[in-house]
Amino acid sequence: MFKTLAFPVALAGVFSFAHADEGQWQPYQLPQLKAELKRIGINMPAEKLADLNKHPMSAMVSLGGCSASFVSSTGLVVTNHHCAYGAVQRNSTAEKNYIANGFLAKTLAEELPAGPDARMYITDKVENVTELVSQGLTAAMSGRARAEHVESRIKALVAECEQDKAYRCSVPSFHRGLEYYRIRQMMIRDVRLVYAPSDKIGNFGGDVDNFEWPRHTGDYSFLRAYVGKDGRPADPSADNVPYQSKDFLVVSAQGLKNGDPILMAGYPGRTSRYKLPAEIRFARDVSYPAKVTESRADLAVIAAATQGNAGAAVRYASVVKGISNGLKKTEGLLDGFARKDIAAIKDGQDAEFRRWYAQHGSKQDLLKELDTLITADMAMSEEEFAWSVASTSELLKSARTLYRLAIEIEKPDAERHTGYQQRDMTIIAGKLSRLEQSYLPNVDQARFTAALQRYNKLAAKSHIQGLDVLLPTPESVAGLYQQSSLNETAKRLGWMSKDRKAFEQSDDAFIRLAVKLHDTAMSLENRRKELDGNLERVIPQYMQAVIEWKKSLGKPVYPDANSTLRVTYGTVAPYSPRDGISKGPFTTVEGIVQKHTGKSPFNMQESLLTAVKEKRYGVFKDAVLQTVPVNFLSSADTTGGNSGSAVLNKNGELVGLNFDSTYESITKDWYFDTAITRAIQVDIRYMLWVMKEVDHADNLLKEMTIRYPEK
């Protein structure tokens, strides 16, 4: 592709030019950042940080959407309150409301199931399999054939890796398909809730303070991993025992100060740092506004359908929290785009790159082909968004999953579509069971009816050809719920063992609807495969060129986040969001008292207010602040999925938990602005102080290894 470079590009040596806190680095890259880590004051050897089987990386955990870390030798895991919120909600009722009152298990016997779909993943092996995935690809392949070939190669690599059933393996792409890595993770299937403070602490400030600074949120909770008596992962059982953690983090109550270095390890979800200007404008002008409108409307419907019903509100608390968090982030992205013209910045970078490519690239039609495919991708995204609106119902989603499963089961396991293989059965069952705690027929009916009304108002170009005549009218939705038994968990699960013929002969209204919609859904899926296959052919060539260009400029090169284990670094740092305003890096418990109004979301529990009034700070009192710090800012590079990520001091000890970003930082998913990008963390001293002075979680304090300040 290049006059001087062979495909695929060798990425070694392109990371030594980093001079900012930007970058979500794969662990193996850290030795090449040795000088940077030393410069900011990190004492741990970079080679040790790169080894997944050594402390501290061996203590890091993925929760499948959030991050966490082991803090004891008996499987105790600390993460964010909002990451454990689903587990808290599933165990709550209007009468026994752990959301409002908090939950603490004083003994192992009192710990509660986190939910049928709760998982912990411990990464222990990562290997580059790019050549194996690419094996057999030819230029003559259609996009769909290419996509299916890659999928087949990945499934074979996963099957080989999962011969030991203790592990869950995946083969995600990096640099938009330029590289593939096979990742092996031990999958813990028995996860239990140990301790969560009241949401008066864990969600203090609620949506009002979400993505804001100053912040005073105790966003932490504890879970525990359980395994069979043989020490291997097992299905949930009363006979299981706590997992013996190979490594765990020492908790440091010695604290941080402004300018101190930090490391953060976790599983960031998705960033879009290498997207084209056109893709940024599409997000800014089309997809994000549509998402905001849809989220606001859906939340309004849920609020109306659950109003006055405390039990219903508890059931949908986790759903509402998830939608609300996504809404606030999307609104922040739009505000960020309005505040700083990132598309224009990218225009300049793109123009500079294209000038460079004109001199160094040998395939001069590459960028034209890329632009054409990106345009097609954006158009199809609008259709996929419309489809997601039209299929809002949880019962419809369940029915569609079950019918697709019945069809896929007819094939040999290796030929089934990803997500419907034998390895996926427990996950499907968990998702179907989860509705038992987060579903009510009248609420789902209201959501589906309103969603169909909104779908009918979407632009005609976004409507999938042939779909409209297959969808129920909003007026007929009530009848679907009256003629379906899928609202019963046992009957939903019972459909997992039925064949295609049973579905096609069923008189269940949602099963019939799923069967009717299947061909249209498959048509959309196959068109997506065709487009993705072509994108997977072109974008890696583009990314190879971008990497070489950035390398020539001495700029950092790291892959976009993709939910795999990453390490980032930075310092405790204030920032100035706008002219004349400077925001310090710490908040304190006095700020909680100042914000307290007695009304949600600024209603703090009295026991904490009393502890502050009496200044019962003990060893958690900061020598400079003369009080207990609550949250702090750092310049680390984070995104969604980093929630719960361990924040480590220069010696690798746990000093905080990442849980949010400042509002001005949200656009970092697209563009990292060193001056204003700040992550928000819970100071571990606040967590320990609440555990001791407010919730009396003495059993957990004894279980952890805590390094207290020297007297």
Side-chain angles (χ1 to χ4, degrees):
M1 168 169 172
F2 291 106
K3 297 167 184 174
T4 59
L5 188 68
F7 181 81
V9 65
L11 295 179
V14 302
F15 312 104
S16 57
F17 301 98
H19 294 295
D21 300 336
E22 175 182 356
Q24 295 172 342
W25 306 96
Q26 293 172 265
Y28 85 85
Q29 298 173 328
L30 294 176
Q32 298 173 61
L33 292 166
K34 189 181 300 184
E36 268 295 285
L37 296 176
K38 184 177 180 180
R39 180 187 64 81
I40 68 169
I42 298 298
N43 291 338
M44 289 177 290
E47 290 77 11
K48 185 178 180 183
L49 289 168
D51 193 333
L52 301 181
N53 294 302
K54 290 183 179 178
H55 184 278
M57 300 308 295
S58 54
M60 304 306 164
V61 177
S62 169
L63 300 179
C66 278
S67 303
S69 52
F70 287 115
V71 287
S72 86
S73 62
T74 49
L76 186 66
V77 163
V78 66
T79 187
N80 285 159
H81 183 271
H82 75 263
C83 294
Y85 195 83
V88 178
Q89 180 263 322
R90 289 181 193 114
N91 286 288
S92 296
T93 63
E95 298 74 30
K96 192 181 288 185
N97 193 336
Y98 297 132
I99 297 173
N101 302 321
F103 171 79
L104 172 63
K106 288 285 191 177
T107 65
L108 294 177
E110 294 174 5
E111 295 175 0
L112 299 174
D117 58 341
R119 299 287 187 275
M120 288 185 190
Y121 302 90
I122 307 160
T123 302
D124 76 338
K125 189 176 183 181
V126 177
E127 53 190 328
N128 191 324
V129 293
T130 306
E131 290 187 8
L132 294 173
V133 172
S134 304
Q135 209 170 68
L137 291 175
T138 67
M141 283 180 168
S142 68
R144 179 177 171 184
R146 184 184 184 89
E148 291 179 344
H149 180 86
V150 168
E151 182 183 11
S152 176
R153 297 293 299 164
I154 287 174
K155 284 191 291 188
L157 287 165
V158 167
E160 178 186 66
C161 181
E162 291 183 351
Q163 290 182 20
D164 185 336
K165 298 307 178 185
Y167 294 97
R168 183 82 173 180
C169 302
S170 61
V171 184
S173 71
F174 292 73
H175 291 294
R176 301 187 79 176
L178 178 61
E179 291 189 314
Y180 289 86
Y181 285 80
R182 180 164 63 181
I183 298 172
R184 189 176 78 167
Q185 298 175 307
M186 178 179 284
M187 183 174 72
I188 306 293
R189 305 193 298 274
D190 189 346
V191 180
R192 302 185 195 179
L193 177 64
V194 178
Y195 163 50
S198 160
D199 67 347
K200 294 182 179 69
I201 294 171
N203 194 31
F204 184 75
D207 288 336
V208 177
D209 268 6
N210 198 12
F211 293 108
E212 299 293 345
W213 186 261
R215 197 74 178 274
H216 300 83
T217 308
D219 201 344
Y220 71 88
S221 288
F222 287 83
L223 304 168
R224 195 183 303 275
Y226 278 78
V227 292
K229 291 181 178 179
D230 59 358
R232 291 172 59 81
D235 290 333
S237 168
D239 294 329
N240 288 346
V241 296
Y243 172 68
Q244 298 299 302
S245 321
K246 176 185 176 183
D247 285 305
F248 60 90
L249 299 179
V250 170
V251 178
S252 174
Q254 295 178 329
L256 295 167
K257 62 181 184 299
N258 186 24
D260 278 355
I262 61 99
L263 279 172
M264 186 184 301
Y267 291 80
R270 289 288 182 271
T271 53
S272 305
R273 304 268 172 84
Y274 300 101
K275 295 270 186 168
L276 276 64
E279 294 176 283
I280 295 174
R281 289 188 169 89
F282 177 74
R284 181 192 69 190
D285 302 335
V286 180
S287 66
Y288 284 166
K291 183 179 177 181
V292 166
T293 299
E294 181 62 18
S295 296
R296 287 174 178 168
D298 196 20
L299 285 170
V301 172
I302 295 173
T306 58
Q307 188 174 15
N309 185 332
V314 168
R315 272 182 175 265
Y316 276 84
S318 184
V319 174
V320 168
K321 189 173 181 65
I323 297 172
S324 297
N325 191 57
L327 172 61
K328 185 73 178 278
K329 180 171 182 176
T330 308
E331 289 173 331
L333 282 162
L334 289 173
D335 285 348
F337 286 144
R339 183 176 58 254
K340 191 161 194 170
D341 195 345
I342 294 174
I345 294 172
K346 290 284 188 176
D347 280 337
Q349 295 173 348
D350 186 60
E352 184 182 350
F353 164 73
R354 289 176 188 249
R355 285 192 296 270
W356 178 90
Y357 187 80
Q359 296 178 353
H360 297 85
S362 59
K363 189 177 178 181
Q364 291 301 316
D365 61 345
L366 173 68
L367 299 182
K368 183 178 180 180
E369 186 177 9
L370 174 66
D371 292 338
T372 299
L373 289 171
I374 292 298
T375 299
D377 181 50
M378 293 185 294
M380 188 172 293
S381 294
E382 290 193 73
E383 290 186 66
E384 289 165 335
F385 173 77
W387 170 251
S388 72
V389 175
S391 55
T392 291
S393 165
E394 294 295 341
L395 288 199
L396 177 56
K397 291 174 186 175
S398 296
R400 290 187 57 239
T401 296
L402 288 163
Y403 183 49
R404 179 70 180 272
L405 178 62
I407 293 171
E408 295 294 335
I409 282 177
E410 296 174 349
K411 308 172 188 176
D413 192 59
E415 296 177 16
R416 295 185 200 173
H417 184 69
T418 301
Y420 293 91
Q421 294 179 281
Q422 194 61 40
R423 67 194 287 270
D424 303 306
M425 289 302 187
T426 57
I427 293 175
I428 292 173
K431 289 179 178 178
L432 293 171
S433 300
R434 183 180 61 188
L435 291 187
E436 190 162 349
Q437 288 84 29
S438 59
Y439 165 86
L440 287 172
N442 69 300
V443 181
D444 201 56
Q445 178 182 317
R447 294 179 74 191
F448 193 22
T449 301
L452 288 171
Q453 292 169 339
R454 296 193 299 272
Y455 168 80
N456 291 334
K457 295 176 182 178
L458 293 175
K461 67 176 182 177
S462 69
H463 286 216
I464 301 167
Q465 186 175 3
L467 176 61
D468 291 13
V469 296
L470 302 176
L471 291 171
T473 64
E475 295 75 22
S476 67
V477 165
L480 298 177
Y481 288 85
Q482 295 167 4
Q483 299 166 39
S484 177
S485 61
L486 287 184
N487 61 311
E488 299 176 38
T489 301
K491 292 188 176 179
R492 279 196 307 277
L493 293 173
W495 279 98
M496 287 184 68
S497 60
K498 296 187 179 182
D499 60 17
R500 185 204 295 234
K501 186 176 181 181
F503 282 83
E504 293 171 354
Q505 294 179 346
S506 173
D507 59 0
D508 184 287
F510 275 105
I511 296 293
R512 290 202 310 269
L513 181 58
V515 172
K516 188 163 62 169
L517 294 174
H518 180 74
D519 288 345
T520 300
M522 288 304 301
S523 174
L524 179 65
E525 182 178 307
N526 289 331
R527 285 196 292 130
R528 170 49 71 185
K529 280 185 179 180
E530 177 68 23
L531 180 54
D532 281 353
N534 286 321
L535 286 166
E536 287 166 6
R537 173 175 50 82
V538 173
I539 286 185
Q541 299 176 62
Y542 165 72
M543 284 305 304
Q544 181 187 5
V546 168
I547 289 169
E548 186 67 8
W549 169 61
K550 282 183 170 286
K551 183 179 175 181
S552 73
L553 298 173
K555 292 185 177 180
V557 182
Y558 54 89
D560 266 320
N562 62 354
S563 298
T564 59
L565 182 58
R566 303 295 180 91
V567 179
T568 183
Y569 61 88
T571 56
V572 177
Y575 79 114
S576 176
R578 59 188 66 87
D579 184 52
I581 296 178
S582 180
K583 297 191 176 186
F586 288 96
T587 59
T588 69
V589 290
E590 274 72 23
I592 295 174
V593 177
Q594 293 166 12
K595 281 186 176 180
H596 171 70
T597 63
K599 295 181 180 179
S600 181
F602 297 103
N603 181 26
M604 180 51 68
Q605 63 190 62
E606 285 300 323
S607 55
L608 188 146
L609 295 173
T610 299
V612 175
K613 181 179 179 181
E614 296 176 358
K615 298 189 181 300
R616 300 201 311 266
Y617 301 149
V619 295
F620 308 112
K621 180 179 178 180
D622 183 270
V624 175
L625 301 172
Q626 290 296 297
T627 183
V628 179
V630 177
N631 298 150
F632 67 92
L633 297 174
S634 80
S635 59
D637 189 352
T638 66
T639 189
N642 273 126
S643 291
S645 291
V647 182
L648 310 178
N649 63 14
K650 63 183 180 181
N651 299 316
E653 298 162 337
L654 185 68
V655 290
L657 299 174
N658 184 76
F659 72 96
D660 208 352
S661 296
T662 59
Y663 199 67
E664 297 81 11
S665 302
I666 294 177
T667 49
K668 68 181 179 301
D669 283 2
W670 296 82
Y671 173 76
F672 190 91
D673 187 335
T674 304
I676 63 169
T677 298
R678 294 293 181 270
I680 304 176
Q681 289 92 29
V682 181
D683 193 302
I684 218 72
R685 290 171 289 181
Y686 178 62
M687 180 187 83
L688 297 173
W689 178 75
V690 172
M691 293 173 72
K692 179 177 176 58
E693 294 292 341
V694 180
D695 286 342
H696 307 293
D698 303 303
N699 55 314
L700 300 182
L701 292 171
K702 290 178 182 176
E703 182 176 347
M704 293 186 287
T705 300
I706 303 172
R707 183 161 293 160
Y708 292 100
E710 295 179 6
K711 293 182 180 179

